[in-house]
Amino acid sequence: MTATQDRSAQTGQAQTGETRTLTLIQAVTEAMREELARDDRVVVFGEDVGARGGVFLATAGLQAEFGPRRVFDTPLSEASVVGAAVGMAVRGLRPIAEIQFADYMGPGFDQIISQAAKIRYRSGGQFTAPMIIRTPSGGGVKGGHHHSQSPESYFTHTPGLKVVMPSTPYDAKGLLKAAIRGEDPVIYFEPKRLYRAAKGEVPSHDYIVKIGEGAIRREGTDLTLVGYGGVMPDAERAAAALAAEGVSVEVIDLRSLVPWDRELVLSSVQKTGRAVLVSEAPRISNFMGEVAYVIQEQAFDSLLAPVGQVAGFDTPYPYVQDKVYLPGPNRITAACVKALNY
Amino acid sequence: MTTASQPTPSTELTSLSSSPIEPFSPEPLRWVAEDGRPVRELPVRYTPELLRELHHEMVRAREFDRKLVTLLRQGRTTFYAQSSGMEATQVGLARSIRVGHDWVWPYYRDHTLGLAMGVPMIDLISQCLGTNSDLCKGRQMPHHFGSASKNFVSISSSIASQVPPAAGNAMAQKYLGTDEITLCTFGDGATSEGDWHAGLNMAGAAKAPALFVCENNQWAISTNLAAQTASPNIHIKAKAYGMPGFYVDGNDIVAVMEVCGHAAEWVRAGNGPALVECLTYRVGSHSNADADAEKNYRTRDEVNSWLARDPIARIEGLLAHLGHPVDAEERANLISSVHRAVDADVLKAEATGQPDWRIMFEDVYADTPPHLREQAAFVRAEQEGQK
């Protein structure tokens, strides 16, 4: 492995060397292009990923560059896409399977939880399925409930899977490369509303972002704000608004949910004494419930206020009212103020 | 992987037995050639009056498409999936069942089917605009309507997920001893999903009165039929599930009505389910999300070859052949009347306003549980604080 494990990703910034400004989706494409070129075991497939380049154009140009043997369309069947990825991975390929929207992981769910997640364990490590399932997730694009859901908690609940969700182009590329070079099945959620909205510096040199490491986006001393994926720009806006009021908020981007960076979150909460957790998935059985539990278990003595949580509501994702559904900066700010005034 | 050639209906007449409606025909069954000339004797019910009605409905559907694309461009709606080119299949299907009596589990490109079944145009428009007049209360993305008065179950985006429920709907009809049937439609891509196979298998085993219809428009977004399945067609898959499979020229509305009507009554008679494949073509893109279809995944020549088999031109040709041509003025009047009707319904729908935040917490459960009441109270306080 020639990549540098860029610890500077703690701040999401490249330290040295040449960089370019990319959007999040360009970073995803670039990661696949470089890995296809680096390792001929890598194959990319899914519905419409070939000539069309994917519905969001994440795979645009890859079939033209690497040919239909490496980058190809599949029949419209998520069970087939995921199940075939398991078989390819067991046989030695490095499959990157695209599920067109996270909302459509349902038909592939059994293959993910029964096959991909368990083959290493049930075979005593004799067989493994290192593979990636990439999928756009989250709301904010007027997609209604079949094109806006955040199903990550279903997968964090399944041992054997790694689950990641970047919010910056730097992390999108680094996490995808780490997933491709790793030895486990990785569910790689892409916050679709940031595909083109998130722009940032991406190094020209090869690098990875290690799965399991969070990043501090903003340092602070009064409160720890933890999020991931599509909510991160709003979390940073809330922190900036509070900074204008003289409140110092530390903003943490988890980047990886399984495994997640307990040490980073706990050390921050021990410093600030307050935590507010933000995600857009429905609240019941939200992954942040696990984060809250660990904070109260291991940093209880540091807490100056109950752990706050801002989440989506426990309703299917609505079309017309999607802006009300999503936790925007005002709702995040209010939760922080509540913790500060406790 | 997507370059394999497309299946095309033969332009030659197919020799058939005395009963033309036989399952598993090697070529799509047809009654009317592309130029409008009948290739079989037309059943007597196809009077000029009926054919004019059908023509009117097909033109209405096409102009509805045009107007909705304009609404998209104006930013008044955010998604639309045209059915231009598929009018004969969907209008013909509506005429093959007992509307309001039978049940329909449609797929997401079935607005023409809904219109032809008598779903009021304003209901479709309201759903596309997400206004207070939307029967589905602005929950789903545009173009996903439902109409309880027509037993037209709300459309879902998830491919083929309506097929097992349709089998269950038909099993209930059998259990309840009704003479209803269930019409379940889907595209060619849906036949690759596990749900499709599960649903057909279940309905077959239960001998349920389900009519499964594949609106084979040959493209699942950018994936063509040859990349979708190694089967030469869809209807032969019926064999595996113990039901007849019929193959129809889906751009010939007479053929659609004859074969689907026959299959529907065969199903209604208690013989079990049937599968019909209507071979047609989606002339436009999959949706506004891939308006660049010709640039990215299919050729202009292919589209043009199907424009030459246009279902509306075909019925106009048939009317002309029968001595009742549609003249230019009549067509122009028809088109402008549809445009005026759409414009009026858009204004009516928009005048009802958009549903407010309260709709978000309704219909999640029959009774709103405490945690949702708390979340609704939270938003109420938030909204009042913003005033």
Side-chain angles (χ1 to χ4, degrees):
Chain A
M1 189 178 293
T2 57
T4 52
Q5 289 191 2
D6 206 327
R7 303 292 297 192
S8 63
Q10 290 289 311
T11 55
Q13 299 297 320
Q15 274 183 329
T16 55
E18 193 183 330
T19 67
R20 291 100 358 99
T21 304
L22 297 183
T23 62
L24 192 148
I25 197 164
Q26 286 171 332
V28 168
T29 309
E30 196 168 276
M32 285 189 280
R33 179 181 293 115
E34 290 179 9
E35 294 302 297
L36 279 160
R38 186 186 64 82
D39 182 349
D40 63 11
R41 296 174 305 161
V42 174
V43 289
V44 173
F45 57 94
E47 293 152 20
D48 302 302
V49 304
R52 165 91 179 104
V55 290
F56 288 99
L57 305 179
T59 56
L62 297 183
Q63 188 179 63
E65 188 172 345
F66 295 97
R69 184 170 158 268
R70 308 277 312 276
V71 180
F72 54 93
D73 288 327
T74 64
L76 202 168
S77 169
E78 293 78 7
S80 305
V81 170
V82 176
V86 173
M88 291 180 200
V90 167
R91 186 57 188 85
L93 298 188
R94 291 285 163 145
I96 306 173
E98 178 176 301
I99 299 292
Q100 210 154 64
F101 285 86
D103 311 69
Y104 301 137
M105 292 174 89
F109 192 72
D110 188 44
Q111 288 298 321
I112 298 172
I113 65 166
S114 300
Q115 293 291 343
K118 302 213 169 56
I119 196 153
R120 177 189 293 277
Y121 195 77
R122 77 167 193 251
S123 70
Q126 297 179 91
F127 303 103
T128 62
M131 54 185 271
I132 294 91
I133 300 171
R134 290 181 40 247
T135 190
S137 75
V141 298
K142 278 286 197 180
H145 63 245
H146 278 142
H147 295 83
S148 302
Q149 294 171 95
S150 298
E152 56 270 20
S153 297
Y154 293 112
F155 302 101
T156 62
H157 194 64
T158 301
L161 301 174
K162 289 184 174 176
V163 180
V164 304
M165 193 181 312
S167 74
T168 67
Y170 179 94
D171 289 349
K173 185 173 176 184
L175 280 170
L176 186 49
K177 281 177 162 254
I180 294 165
R181 299 176 193 185
E183 296 299 328
D184 292 301
V186 178
I187 314 291
Y188 181 94
F189 288 104
E190 298 167 6
K192 68 173 90 70
R193 73 173 177 277
L194 301 186
Y195 265 151
R196 290 173 179 84
K199 291 181 185 158
E201 293 300 299
V202 175
S204 300
H205 69 264
D206 191 28
Y207 72 99
I208 65 164
V209 171
K210 193 176 171 190
I211 293 173
E213 287 185 355
I216 295 172
R217 298 295 182 209
R218 179 188 186 104
E219 294 194 351
T221 53
D222 297 330
L223 182 144
T224 301
L225 190 52
V226 184
Y228 59 86
V231 302
M232 287 313 301
D234 285 342
E236 293 190 54
R237 279 184 203 108
L242 287 161
E245 303 291 323
V247 179
S248 171
V249 174
E250 182 143 296
V251 179
I252 291 178
D253 183 347
L254 283 182
R255 307 195 288 195
S256 295
L257 306 188
V258 177
W260 65 282
D261 200 336
R262 291 172 168 224
E263 290 70 27
L264 186 68
V265 171
L266 287 170
S267 64
S268 177
V269 173
Q270 280 155 354
K271 176 176 69 176
T272 64
R274 296 178 180 85
V276 171
L277 315 178
V278 188
S279 75
E280 64 181 275
R283 179 159 179 156
I284 294 178
S285 300
N286 186 305
F287 176 74
M288 286 305 197
E290 168 67 10
V291 178
Y293 176 79
V294 171
I295 290 172
Q296 72 82 28
E297 181 190 51
Q298 299 192 26
F300 188 78
D301 292 340
S302 304
L303 286 176
L304 302 171
V307 176
Q309 189 176 357
V310 184
F313 298 114
D314 291 304
T315 74
Y317 195 98
Y319 171 70
V320 170
Q321 293 295 339
D322 70 339
K323 290 286 185 286
V324 178
Y325 182 93
L326 288 174
N330 292 344
R331 202 170 285 159
I332 298 168
T333 305
C336 293
V337 168
K338 187 176 172 188
L340 290 159
N341 292 338
Y342 179 78
Chain B
M1 307 252 316
T2 57
T3 53
S5 64
Q6 294 293 296
T8 55
S10 166
T11 53
E12 298 301 316
L13 277 181
T14 305
S15 171
L16 290 164
S17 64
S18 55
S19 170
I21 307 176
E22 290 291 328
F24 306 114
S25 60
E27 297 291 336
L29 297 171
R30 54 160 52 175
W31 266 252
V32 181
E34 273 126 20
D35 61 4
R37 184 174 45 92
V39 294
R40 291 184 204 287
E41 191 176 342
L42 282 187
V44 290
R45 67 172 170 144
Y46 295 96
T47 60
E49 291 71 31
L50 174 60
L51 292 171
R52 277 199 126 70
E53 257 181 53
L54 298 171
H55 173 257
H56 187 133
E57 286 182 25
M58 291 162 75
V59 170
R60 182 168 71 139
R62 180 155 304 174
E63 297 308 314
F64 185 85
D65 263 10
R66 291 211 169 110
K67 291 296 286 184
L68 267 287
V69 169
T70 304
L71 286 182
L72 260 177
R73 290 186 182 135
Q74 292 170 340
R76 289 155 95 177
T77 186
T78 57
F79 180 84
Y80 188 69
Q82 297 175 66
S83 66
S84 287
M86 299 169 66
E87 293 90 349
T89 290
Q90 294 190 18
V91 172
L93 266 179
R95 295 276 178 155
S96 304
I97 59 166
R98 301 185 196 173
V99 172
H101 180 76
D102 296 331
W103 281 64
V104 180
W105 288 78
Y107 92 119
Y108 61 76
R109 203 181 295 281
D110 269 341
H111 57 281
T112 293
L113 172 60
L115 275 174
M117 284 175 59
V119 175
M121 199 157 66
I122 192 165
D123 289 355
L124 272 76
I125 289 170
S126 297
Q127 200 283 324
C128 286
L129 299 178
T131 55
N132 272 312
S133 49
D134 172 13
L135 296 172
C136 304
K137 302 185 187 173
R139 269 65 174 274
Q140 291 211 83
M141 67 192 297
H143 204 271
H144 288 64
F145 63 103
S147 175
S149 69
K150 303 291 180 198
N151 299 335
F152 187 98
V153 180
S154 292
I155 293 169
S156 157
S157 309
S158 46
I159 304 298
S161 65
Q162 76 276 26
V163 182
N169 195 120
M171 290 162 74
Q173 290 167 325
K174 183 178 178 184
Y175 176 89
L176 295 169
T178 72
D179 69 342
E180 303 162 6
I181 67 164
T182 299
L183 168 64
C184 178
T185 61
F186 37 81
D188 37 306
T191 66
S192 299
E193 290 276 22
D195 274 355
W196 187 83
H197 298 273
L200 265 72
N201 186 60
M202 183 80 154
K207 282 205 169 298
L211 175 60
F212 298 106
V213 175
C214 179
E215 299 179 31
N216 179 2
N217 69 20
Q218 306 182 57
W219 287 95
I221 305 190
S222 71
T223 304
N224 67 23
L225 192 65
Q228 194 70 244
T229 176
S231 282
N233 51 54
I234 300 299
H235 71 280
I236 64 162
K237 300 188 184 205
K239 280 187 181 173
Y241 300 112
M243 64 183 81
F246 297 96
Y247 198 18
V248 187
D249 183 333
N251 284 9
D252 172 358
I253 192 165
V254 174
V256 173
M257 286 170 64
E258 286 303 295
V259 176
C260 291
H262 168 83
E265 293 315 310
W266 186 87
V267 166
R268 198 184 308 280
N271 294 304
L275 171 65
V276 182
E277 175 182 8
C278 297
L279 184 65
T280 181
Y281 193 75
R282 147 164 72 79
V283 172
S285 55
H286 159 69
S287 73
N288 48 306
D290 69 329
D292 47 2
E294 269 84 71
K295 193 173 82 184
N296 279 336
Y297 59 81
R298 64 185 189 185
T299 64
R300 181 35 59 180
D301 283 350
E302 179 189 302
V303 177
N304 286 341
S305 78
W306 280 91
L307 285 172
R309 300 174 219 179
D310 184 84
I312 294 179
R314 196 176 313 189
I315 196 169
E316 287 181 352
L318 177 60
L319 278 161
H321 179 82
L322 297 175
H324 298 272
V326 178
D327 66 33
E329 188 182 350
E330 182 184 351
R331 188 187 294 103
N333 287 341
L334 183 52
I335 290 170
S336 63
S337 76
V338 176
H339 288 195
R340 280 197 305 275
V342 173
D343 288 341
D345 281 351
V346 167
L347 292 177
K348 267 191 238 168
E350 286 180 337
T352 66
Q354 280 215 324
D356 74 12
W357 59 270
R358 288 174 187 80
I359 62 99
M360 205 158 66
F361 298 97
E362 297 168 2
D363 302 317
V364 184
Y365 303 98
D367 297 313
T368 303
H371 70 278
L372 282 181
R373 286 203 295 271
E374 285 165 17
Q375 290 176 7
F378 170 83
V379 176
R380 184 182 307 116
E382 196 178 58
Q383 299 283 321
E384 285 169 358
Q386 286 172 10
K387 280 177 188 168

